[in-house]
Amino acid sequence: MGLAYDVVIKLVEQLHGQGYRLYFDNFFTSPGLLARLLELDILATGTTLPNRRGFPRILKDKWRKKAKRGNCRWKRMNKVLCLEWMDKKVFDKI
């Protein structure tokens, strides 16, 4: 799954099912990692980029060019929620 995935999974080995929540930036965030963390009973949130492996195709369209400040949209992938909103620029969050 990649270096970032392996690093996070290694760091949370002792945290399974203890109620921890993780927050990280776009280097570490991927839908696959968040799904795996959820299986381990670890909640997580992070920003991401649309070119990240596993990012929903439906959110890779021209919406960004016509969205106004405050607009948002989302896509659920099993139990992982991908959210995109427009501020001064588009922010992608999983």
Side-chain angles (χ1 to χ4, degrees):
M1 294 291 276
L3 175 65
Y5 178 94
D6 294 340
V7 167
V8 173
I9 295 300
K10 178 70 174 168
L11 289 172
V12 301
E13 282 179 344
Q14 305 300 319
L15 305 179
H16 302 187
Q18 296 182 29
Y20 283 94
R21 295 173 189 216
L22 300 178
Y23 301 90
F24 31 77
D25 68 4
N26 60 26
F27 179 78
F28 296 98
T29 309
S30 70
L33 173 61
L34 272 73
R36 178 65 182 135
L37 290 172
L38 193 55
E39 290 172 3
L40 300 173
D41 293 324
I42 299 172
L43 300 178
T45 300
T47 58
T48 190
L49 299 172
N51 62 354
R52 177 69 66 180
R53 182 185 307 154
F55 190 83
R57 287 186 189 166
I58 196 165
L59 297 180
K60 293 182 180 182
D61 61 10
K62 306 233 185 270
W63 177 84
R64 302 162 176 267
K65 294 184 180 183
K66 49 189 170 170
K68 296 187 186 323
R69 188 173 187 167
N71 289 3
C72 70
R73 64 186 183 159
W74 58 275
K75 171 72 175 154
R76 184 174 295 280
M77 298 170 42
N78 297 319
K79 293 185 177 184
V80 175
L81 177 69
C82 300
L83 173 71
E84 186 173 48
W85 77 88
M86 175 63 85
D87 190 24
K88 291 181 181 177
K89 62 180 184 173
V90 173
F91 288 93
D92 298 309
K93 194 172 203 166
I94 297 183

